[in-house]
Amino acid sequence: MRGLRTTALAVLAAALLGAVLLAATGANPLVAFESIVVGAFGPDGLPDTLAYAVPVAGMATALAIPLRAGLVNLGGEGQLVLGAISAVAVGLQVPGVLGIVAALLAGVLAGALYAAFAAVCETALGVPLLVSTLLLSYPAVSLAAYLVRFPMRDPGSSLPQSEQLPPDVHLPALADTGLTAGLFLVLAAVVVYAVVDARTPAGFEARVTGWGPRFAQYAGIDRPRLTVRLLACSGGLAGLVGAVVVLGFPYRFIDGALITPQYTWIGLLAALLAAASPLGTLLAALFFAALTSGGFALERATQVPRELTAVLQAVLIIFLAAATGLLRGRKGAA
Amino acid sequence: MTQPSPDQPPAVSLRGIVKRFGDVLANDHVDLTVAAGEIHALMGENGAGKSTLMSILYGLLRPDAGTIELAGREVSFDSPARAIAAGVGMVQQGFALFDSMSVVDNVVYGAEPTRRGLLDRRAATAAVRELIERHELRLRPGDRAGDLPVGSRQQVEILKLLYRQARVLVLDEPTAVLTPAEADRLFVVLRELAADGRTVLLVTHKLHEVTAVGEAVTVLRDGRVTMTAPTRGLDQGRLAAAMTGREVDLDRVYPPGRPGAEALTVRNLTVRRGDRRVLDDVSLTVRAGEIVGVAGVAGNGQTELVAAIAGLLPADGTVRLGERDVHALGVRERRAAGLAHVPEDRGEVGAAPTARLADNLAVGFHRRPPLLRRGLLRPEAVRDHAERIVTRFGVRAPGVSAPMRTLSGGNQQKAILGRELAQEAPVLVVEQPTRGVDIGAVVGIHTELVAYRDAGHAILLVSAELSEVLGLSDRVLVMYEGRVVAEFAKDEADAEAIGLAMAGVTAP
């Protein structure tokens, strides 16, 4: 209850500060907020919001998995892009329904192996996970950029993008919502994470490790093995998200298309704010997706510059972070 | 000792202090008056409200009601920094050290000597070295705090207080990890400080300390003051009754065990730290139905011995559980092979303070029935399991869903011990089982350990409490500088010979 109230207060305070900022630039804050809400949840905006929420929620969950054990995977972007490009490469070769399955598996495998490699860099070579995941992200993104400029380039286009996947290797669309069956894959991943986290020995051991590394060692938890496994799961889900995105419209890998929307970083933010709890991470991801989607609408509807919508989001995020920090701090004092 | 003059206001005066945590009234209108230059003991069972009261005095907690006066002036601290500035210093049970920094850095942190605006390392080291020598502490100024065993870490905490020249010193069970000789030395320091006009508040569980060093004692029970008296001519039975509400038999003698087959066999165990052998060629055997006690001054390799047996620390030599050589195995495999372990550091190693009590108690049971069924943990089984341990070992807790840190130190210890005993492992290695535990609970824990032994289990008991080692052990080993230097059978073990061996003096 107190959590809800504090969160609501944080949102309200952010809205007030945002209103002042908007008014200072000459915009009407009420109109601006209305366009954010309508843009996020209105009949025109909702499909966009949901389409955007799927990869954000997927990435948030992917990054929450190791975060539960106190491990931060900063290489989500690389794993996401590697998953996407692998899915396209396989999807272009294998026809039919088998192609969809093979492409998704290729995405999962690529992301999982790459993240596990970053984990091994820590467990075997002593490179801190923060460093190994983040730095390995860049070559992965660059490799994909190279592939769609040269070997995998669409000959019929001047853009850095792959050929379009054949129609039978598209994920089924859900009516005319702009969503694909990928929604269910991501939802399934969230459910699996929630169940594993709460009800399995493996999830329990991840939480124990998050509570305290020395306690985990005392309890007999093999930290290196846990690190590699959690990173493999994390990267695998990131790779799946990449595959799901490219197997939907426009059915190809476009360089930068997975980076520009900030799926990874908004996802990481959601996971951090929710302390990696499965449901909290999902809710935070949906909230941020709505906010971002509404921000685009604000840009379209008013004269408010793009930078200001980013400022508004930042204000809200800071207030929310402060509120969650406050909640944890209060519990800590008891 | 200085005689407080009647017209001088008391150094510390707490009046009507009330502090509530949820449904628990931790302090219920507590009054406490301590004269300047007095050593005042504060006693009480775990959860009686001692730590809460001292945390309020030190600015860690704010009282719900009541006033604090220092030397007649009303004060209100919203942080320990304010309390320190006002001359109140505290050594807490848990340690607040920077592990990666040296002893000197830890001591001067926040009050560093400077020279032209820069940290004056030489002056800092000199000041700390002088304090170490004056108080005969077993510390080296340049050692990394994180490398030190618990006993030495606490000495660093005391050193911090001495360095800050606090007028009012609060020590929360400072002797729990010290040997009798070290405790005596600490008492000399405390008396010296009191003679200097400083005020010492000593939170303790030990009756003999109260009479040895205290001039007055206040006893808390269930958040209320049940007794305040000068210690001169104090009746110990009355004191114990004020704490527990019942008379406690302190001289219980346990019958010897009936040793059976070798359950734990350690041969030539050696741990190196740099060039030093912190554990040096230790061999020992514990049989089923036997308690083997390890005595020694903290920091003489006991911590490393336990960590090496548990598999937490790489070591040369062999460790056998029953017939099985577990030397090459990790912690999990050793536990599976029949080893339970109660570590000395319950805040970081033995438990997760932020996690629920039930989750803390599930650790080690989470991969087998009844907690696990068809690959899934059953929440109701986790709760039942925790309830059973809480009930059986009399753990006082707001509930099994409460975070571990809401329990008092002694109740956390009971919970951890209960969890490990419930493993029913053939071998139990237990370190400082009653540190920070009240007298009533000490008897309970000792009874449990003896019952566990009599059920045919082997126990290796490492304790800084000599009386505990003597009272419980069928054999006593003494460690000194990483080696086992003496061994005594139960009937030939006496405090004097063991004390000498602990100090490195052994008969040829």
Side-chain angles (χ1 to χ4, degrees):
Chain A
M1 264 345 271
R2 198 168 67 189
L4 269 179
R5 210 169 55 212
T6 312
T7 309
L9 268 176
V11 173
L12 201 69
L16 274 176
L17 184 56
V20 172
L21 285 172
L22 284 164
T25 62
N28 181 341
L30 289 178
V31 173
F33 287 141
E34 191 195 353
S35 64
I36 290 182
V37 174
V38 172
F41 301 109
D44 295 334
L46 194 58
D48 283 350
T49 302
L50 288 177
Y52 184 67
V54 169
V56 169
M59 288 307 291
T61 305
L63 301 176
I65 290 168
L67 198 59
R68 202 63 162 152
L71 306 169
V72 181
N73 174 9
L74 285 181
E77 243 163 29
Q79 295 143 23
L80 174 75
V81 166
L82 217 52
I85 193 76
S86 305
V88 169
V90 170
L92 286 171
Q93 302 302 320
V94 186
V97 178
L98 189 64
I100 297 181
V101 176
L104 290 171
L105 281 180
V108 171
L109 212 60
L113 287 176
Y114 203 58
F117 176 60
V120 170
C121 283
E122 174 176 271
T123 58
L125 306 172
V127 182
L129 195 65
L130 279 174
V131 175
S132 68
T133 51
L134 181 64
L135 292 190
L136 280 173
S137 193
Y138 297 112
V141 172
S142 303
L143 173 71
Y146 161 79
L147 287 175
V148 292
R149 276 178 177 81
F150 300 100
M152 287 175 66
R153 174 175 183 164
D154 180 6
S157 159
S158 61
L159 297 170
Q161 60 183 23
S162 73
E163 278 182 77
Q164 202 167 38
L165 292 165
D168 52 356
V169 193
H170 296 179
L171 276 174
L174 303 180
D176 51 356
T177 54
L179 291 168
T180 66
L183 169 71
F184 299 116
L185 291 173
V186 170
L187 274 181
V190 171
V191 170
V192 168
Y193 172 46
V195 171
V196 169
D197 177 72
R199 298 292 301 273
T200 68
F204 181 70
E205 290 185 0
R207 282 188 285 142
V208 168
T209 308
W211 293 328
R214 292 183 68 197
F215 180 50
Q217 191 198 11
Y218 157 79
I221 294 168
D222 183 344
R223 187 184 170 88
R225 200 167 71 172
L226 184 82
T227 304
V228 173
R229 288 180 175 190
L230 286 177
L231 263 288
C233 291
S234 175
L237 181 50
L240 176 70
V241 172
V244 161
V245 172
V246 293
L247 291 181
F249 183 80
Y251 312 109
R252 60 169 97 224
F253 186 98
I254 307 169
D255 187 34
L258 291 164
I259 307 292
T260 317
Q262 302 278 322
Y263 298 136
T264 307
W265 302 113
I266 292 175
L268 182 62
L269 205 63
L272 283 169
L273 274 178
S277 100
L279 186 62
T281 300
L282 178 66
L283 290 177
L286 295 180
F287 179 76
F288 283 133
L291 188 67
T292 310
S293 180
F296 289 135
L298 175 66
E299 245 173 274
R300 287 194 299 270
T302 65
Q303 300 306 312
V304 175
R306 176 179 174 71
E307 286 70 21
L308 195 59
T309 68
V311 169
L312 283 180
Q313 290 172 28
V315 165
L316 184 56
I317 288 163
I318 288 167
F319 272 86
L320 277 176
T324 47
L326 212 62
L327 284 172
R328 278 178 217 145
R330 268 199 221 145
K331 281 188 216 143
Chain B
M1 261 44 25
T2 38
Q3 210 44 251
S5 59
D7 52 321
Q8 194 185 352
V12 177
S13 174
L14 302 176
R15 270 199 288 262
I17 299 291
V18 176
K19 182 69 189 178
R20 182 183 285 281
F21 295 116
D23 294 336
V24 180
L25 201 53
N27 281 167
D28 184 2
H29 296 91
V30 173
D31 296 326
L32 177 66
T33 306
V34 187
E38 181 178 84
I39 300 179
H40 195 106
L42 188 60
M43 294 193 79
E45 298 204 306
N46 296 313
K50 308 179 303 283
S51 294
T52 302
L53 188 65
M54 291 302 100
S55 297
I56 286 170
L57 175 59
Y58 188 50
L60 281 167
L61 293 173
R62 309 208 58 171
D64 297 332
T67 58
I68 305 171
E69 282 181 15
L70 291 181
R73 290 237 311 274
E74 183 165 344
V75 291
S76 166
F77 303 136
D78 51 12
S79 73
R82 292 286 186 80
I84 290 166
V88 178
M90 178 167 176
V91 176
Q92 289 173 271
Q93 274 182 46
F95 305 124
L97 296 177
F98 301 106
D99 284 351
S100 61
M101 289 168 68
S102 70
V103 169
V104 173
D105 292 342
N106 269 289
V107 170
V108 302
Y109 172 77
E112 303 87 345
T114 54
R115 195 155 164 262
R116 293 194 209 100
L118 297 173
L119 176 63
D120 187 347
R121 258 176 202 288
R122 193 176 299 173
T125 308
V128 171
R129 189 184 299 280
E130 199 262 279
L131 282 172
I132 288 174
E133 281 165 10
R134 177 141 58 94
H135 302 298
E136 297 174 52
L137 302 172
R138 296 182 67 152
L139 290 170
R140 281 183 301 205
D143 278 356
R144 236 174 56 104
D147 292 338
L148 301 174
V150 173
S152 306
R153 288 161 69 85
Q154 189 176 46
Q155 294 190 355
V156 178
E157 289 283 358
I158 293 170
L159 203 52
K160 275 161 75 173
L161 215 64
L162 299 175
Y163 178 79
R164 278 165 179 72
Q165 305 181 327
R167 302 297 305 166
V168 176
L169 297 96
V170 181
L171 294 102
D172 197 354
E173 296 183 44
T175 60
V177 290
L178 305 182
T179 57
E182 281 179 314
D184 287 344
R185 209 152 53 214
L186 173 71
F187 293 159
V188 170
V189 174
L190 296 184
R191 284 195 201 99
E192 183 185 284
L193 293 170
D196 198 29
R198 284 175 229 265
T199 305
V200 177
L201 267 159
L202 188 70
V203 180
T204 180
H205 288 303
K206 298 177 191 164
L207 294 169
H208 70 86
E209 283 182 4
V210 173
T211 45
V213 73
E215 290 157 77
V217 58
T218 294
V219 181
L220 288 180
R221 187 169 81 229
D222 294 332
R224 280 191 291 271
V225 175
T226 51
M227 175 178 169
T228 298
T231 56
R232 197 178 301 256
L234 187 71
D235 177 4
Q236 294 209 348
R238 196 161 75 85
L239 197 64
M243 282 176 64
T244 59
R246 64 195 140 88
E247 300 281 342
V248 178
D249 177 12
L250 292 175
D251 294 317
R252 183 192 284 261
V253 176
Y254 297 99
R258 277 188 291 274
E262 290 186 8
L264 171 68
T265 313
V266 170
R267 288 285 170 265
N268 312 107
L269 208 58
T270 299
V271 173
R272 291 181 178 81
R273 185 169 294 146
D275 292 337
R276 224 147 49 94
R277 289 174 165 224
V278 288
L279 190 66
D280 191 359
D281 202 26
V282 167
S283 299
L284 60 87
T285 303
V286 187
R287 295 168 179 279
E290 181 185 44
I291 297 178
V292 173
V294 177
V297 179
N300 275 293
Q302 304 95 312
T303 304
E304 288 79 6
L305 172 67
V306 171
I309 292 172
L312 288 163
L313 198 61
D316 295 331
T318 59
V319 176
R320 275 209 314 274
L321 291 171
E323 298 289 297
R324 186 151 173 221
D325 187 347
V326 296
H327 175 249
L329 302 182
V331 178
R332 187 198 295 274
E333 291 85 355
R334 290 188 195 204
R335 281 178 164 273
L339 180 71
H341 172 204
V342 177
E344 65 171 335
D345 186 342
R346 62 174 165 253
E348 235 178 273
V349 179
T354 57
R356 299 185 314 153
L357 174 59
D359 286 330
N360 270 288
L361 296 180
V363 165
F365 295 88
H366 64 281
R367 281 195 176 272
R368 58 176 193 251
L371 270 60
L372 193 68
R373 186 190 284 169
R374 289 190 215 96
L376 289 181
L377 285 163
R378 299 189 303 133
E380 66 279 7
V382 170
R383 207 167 40 241
D384 289 348
H385 169 76
E387 301 274 12
R388 267 198 305 279
I389 291 177
V390 163
T391 309
R392 185 176 153 203
F393 295 94
V395 180
R396 255 194 274 173
V400 296
S401 293
M404 190 74 169
R405 66 165 167 243
T406 59
L407 277 64
S408 71
N411 280 305
Q412 291 184 20
Q413 181 69 4
K414 284 197 241 175
I416 293 169
L417 182 74
R419 177 187 69 205
E420 296 303 309
L421 288 180
Q423 299 274 6
E424 292 288 340
V427 178
L428 171 70
V429 178
V430 54
E431 243 182 318
Q432 318 298 353
T434 58
R435 173 183 298 166
V437 173
D438 60 79
I439 292 172
V442 166
V443 174
I445 287 173
H446 286 174
T447 309
E448 287 290 349
L449 288 174
V450 171
Y452 195 70
R453 174 198 72 182
D454 290 342
H457 303 105
I459 299 178
L460 183 68
L461 165 74
V462 174
S463 176
E465 268 321 314
L466 194 49
S467 61
E468 180 165 87
V469 173
L470 278 172
L472 294 180
S473 306
D474 297 304
R475 278 187 296 132
V476 177
L477 308 177
V478 182
M479 287 194 69
Y480 179 74
E481 295 197 332
R483 287 195 307 276
V484 172
V485 292
E487 176 170 349
F488 301 90
K490 190 180 183 76
D491 48 12
E492 65 188 33
D494 69 87
E496 194 184 343
I498 292 175
L500 284 172
M502 284 165 67
V505 183
T506 42

